[in-house]
Amino acid sequence: MRMIKIENITKTFRNQGNPVQGLKKTSLKIKEGSFLVIVGPSGSGKTSLLNIIGGLDTPTTGQITVKDRNLKNLSDKELSNYRNNEIGFVFQEFHLEPEMTVLDNVLLPTLFSKDKKDKKEKATELIKEVGLTKKINQKTKALSGGEKQRTAIARALINNPTIIIADEPTGNLDAETGKIILNLLKKIHKNHKTTLIIATHDEKVASATKQQIKL
Amino acid sequence: MISIAHKNIKERKLRTTFTLLSVIIASSTLLLFMGLKDGVKNATFEELEKKSPLTQITVSPKIEDNGIISLLGKSQKNKITQEKIDKIKDIDGVKAVYPEIQFNNFASLEASVFGFSFLTDAMIFGVDEDFVKDDFVTTTDWNSLNQPYPAIIPSKLLDLYNVTIAVPQGLPSLSEDDLKGKKITLYPNYSTFFPGFNKISDSIELKVVGFSDKTNLLGATLSYQAVNQLNQKYSEIKEPQVLELFIETEDASLVKEVADQINTLNLNTQYFQKNAEDIEAKLNYLDMALSILSLIILITTAMAILTTFLATISEQKKEIGLLRALGATKLDIKKMILLQATIIGLVGSAIGLALGILIISLIEPLLLKERAQTTFTPNSLFLISTVSALKILLFGTVLTIFAAYLPAHQAAKVNPIQALKN
């Protein structure tokens, strides 16, 4: 079943008044539950494509449809709900709240969701799943890079999203930790049956799946 | 949402402290102004009500028709006649009419207190017992025509003496107790100001039996009969000259209606409600001045809060971007910032309220001590009601929310991609 349908999308930015093409014309169909890696050098438009799929940005031209909903037609509230319920973001820089505990960071997306039932139990389970039970009440500023990314992965899963978007998830980690995080993402993809989309310039990460898109 | 707002407040201690300080200063200043405005108004009306009970009307000849000579009883034009008094008695709502007559010539009073002797010109007034009976502080036969004649002293005369004579000259202040039962000598037809008019040097003994806020400030008040007797013996004009009338109405609500009817007799009327209107109009200037000062403080505070919040938003951009990525709507972000403002506004105005009350409790005794040397001696100068306190809390909070609205609006417009990149 085709979940994401991208048709001829482009993204153009303005840099000091001059147009800069961030993403060249791209078309793509992504099936539900698939594991896809977007590869390409810096500036090729990987992050732009992920941002458009994740509802953080809109294409300059073209259409993107997720579960038959054209993202371009959604209001701010609908788009926010989409990001909250359908998407789980994993960033290269982790983007955690340093003064908050692992548990509170994982629970952060639930602040904006309607369904708040049993979320603490769910967060505790996810933290266990990513192997951070012992650090559940520790502030994230005290965690290592790998632990921070594990926290970010648990946070991405808290609202049962259908799509996990990971932008260079191993970019800020050493090779060994990066491997562990990649395996964790693969495990999560398998256990939670989510669609996993990773953007990377790292060939080793790209080789984790056969489904690759080169930009 | 509250936990995030609370965390943001805690994380930015310096900025939070600065914003809190602005709200605290504004709230406490507003409380002081509001308390002073209400307090002065309250004290003024209390003072006024003491002098002029709510049911009383003071009637006098129209001064523009008669001039000062008439006041001294020399002019016959437009004076208060028995015919007019009878007409007033017939007005619906009039309970009692108390004429105030005067001794129709010069007079001086001599008193000796603390070893000093005072001799001064004064007017002598006469009223019915019913009008002053509540003011007696010693048992007395008011209508007695035996010397010493019972006499009432205006309470304000004591204040005036204390303020204008005792304090500047370093003399001891006088209290009612110092004068109670005191003998005073009255010299009829004797003036220290106009010695050329002095005819005889007779002396009459008076005894202070009470103090009143209702009687005439210009001299001593005796019984109606006593003044009549003095006029018979010492004045060229023997008939009683009615200087003023004190009208007691059946109900305070009837005062204006009765006064309007008295005015048709070409007489002047004064009563609490009318005086209150005049004083209120004057107090409105104080109100206006304090309102302008308050407005300046509010604008300054709002600017300080706005600037601090803008700086905070700038620092929080990355966090706002993250929250947007995680599903926060623009409205959620706006709510979060306004919630921060609400917490700061509520805490700040509560502290400001407490600080204002503390300042008032410290400065009020000092101000009242200074006032004790004047004729205006209220029990309190500041009036803080529960409603005023609630108004301050509400105002401080609303002001902070209002000032934070623009920054909140800007925060809601933060581009999550740009914010996360930074």
Side-chain angles (χ1 to χ4, degrees), chain A residues 13 51 54 56-57 76-78 80-81 83-84 87 89 91 93-100 105 108-109 111-112 155 159, chain B residues 1 3-4 7-8 11 318-333 336 415-421:
Chain A
F13 302 102
N51 286 339
L56 281 174
D57 206 353
D76 174 66
K77 193 180 175 186
E78 288 167 330
S80 299
N81 281 340
R83 289 196 296 269
N84 189 242
I87 306 291
F89 284 104
F91 302 100
E93 297 86 1
F94 324 122
H95 291 315
L96 299 172
E97 283 291 336
E99 291 298 327
M100 287 166 77
N105 264 285
L108 212 47
L111 292 175
F112 313 109
R155 181 182 66 189
N159 280 342
Chain B
M1 196 73 89
S3 60
I4 293 192
K7 177 191 75 70
N8 287 337
E11 266 178 20
K318 197 170 175 181
E319 185 187 10
I320 292 166
L322 173 69
L323 295 177
R324 290 282 282 141
L326 297 180
T329 61
K330 286 179 179 175
L331 189 64
D332 286 331
I333 299 297
M336 185 183 79
N415 181 327
I417 299 170
Q418 291 298 325
L420 288 171
K421 256 188 199 169

Side-chain angles (χ1 to χ4, degrees), chain A residues 89-196:
Chain A
F89 284 104
V90 178
F91 302 100
Q92 182 179 351
E93 297 86 1
F94 324 122
H95 291 315
L96 299 172
E97 283 291 336
E99 291 298 327
M100 287 166 77
T101 64
V102 169
L103 180 65
D104 287 339
N105 264 285
V106 173
L107 283 169
L108 212 47
T110 65
L111 292 175
F112 313 109
S113 60
K114 282 176 190 163
D115 179 20
K116 290 185 167 63
K117 206 180 161 192
D118 302 328
K119 288 295 182 185
K120 202 169 177 183
E121 290 74 19
K122 165 98 175 157
T124 311
E125 267 175 45
L126 288 169
I127 290 165
K128 188 181 173 190
E129 195 175 342
V130 298
L132 282 178
T133 301
K134 283 183 183 171
K135 309 223 165 169
I136 190 166
N137 290 319
Q138 204 161 319
K139 285 186 178 174
T140 54
K141 67 180 177 186
L143 301 180
S144 68
E147 287 167 337
K148 282 179 182 170
Q149 201 58 301
R150 284 165 191 265
T151 308
I153 291 168
R155 181 182 66 189
L157 293 166
I158 189 71
N159 280 342
N160 293 321
T162 48
I163 306 161
I164 299 284
I165 290 174
D167 189 4
E168 302 279 10
T170 60
N172 272 3
L173 304 171
D174 60 65
E176 191 57 34
T177 313
K179 204 171 160 186
I180 294 166
I181 292 297
L182 187 62
N183 286 334
L184 180 62
L185 282 169
K186 280 160 74 177
K187 193 177 101 181
I188 295 287
H189 158 67
K190 196 177 162 189
N191 292 349
H192 292 261
K193 295 182 174 54
T194 54
T195 303
L196 176 62

Side-chain angles (χ1 to χ4, degrees), chain B residues 123-254:
Chain B
M123 288 179 77
I124 304 298
F125 304 98
V127 293
D128 275 342
E129 182 173 8
D130 283 349
F131 184 62
V132 285
K133 65 182 175 192
D134 295 338
D135 299 319
F136 297 154
V137 291
T138 61
T139 315
T140 181
D141 177 8
W142 179 247
N143 297 320
S144 166
L145 292 175
N146 297 322
Q147 290 192 34
Y149 292 145
I152 294 265
I153 303 294
S155 300
K156 285 290 165 202
L157 206 59
L158 281 182
D159 296 334
L160 270 178
Y161 161 78
N162 289 332
V163 173
T164 58
I165 299 173
V167 173
Q169 299 195 18
L171 297 170
S173 293
L174 277 178
S175 69
E176 289 185 359
D177 282 343
D178 293 327
L179 288 178
K180 197 163 69 181
K182 194 92 192 163
K183 296 266 175 57
I184 298 176
T185 309
L186 163 67
Y187 297 104
N189 297 352
Y190 184 87
S191 171
T192 57
F193 296 151
F194 308 106
F197 288 98
N198 294 343
K199 290 174 185 171
I200 49 170
S201 55
D202 226 351
S203 69
I204 293 151
E205 288 293 305
L206 307 180
K207 182 184 160 194
V208 178
V209 296
F211 304 90
S212 175
D213 284 307
K214 295 183 284 186
T215 53
N216 208 306
L217 182 66
L218 297 172
T221 300
L222 312 182
S223 74
Y224 197 92
Q225 286 82 352
V227 174
N228 248 337
Q229 195 179 59
L230 290 174
N231 278 328
Q232 293 302 321
K233 194 170 178 186
Y234 298 105
S235 296
E236 285 170 17
I237 305 167
K238 309 288 181 192
E239 298 79 34
Q241 303 292 308
V242 179
L243 187 66
E244 283 182 321
L245 291 176
F246 299 109
I247 313 293
E248 195 185 332
T249 59
E250 283 165 1
D251 190 86
S253 63
L254 298 169

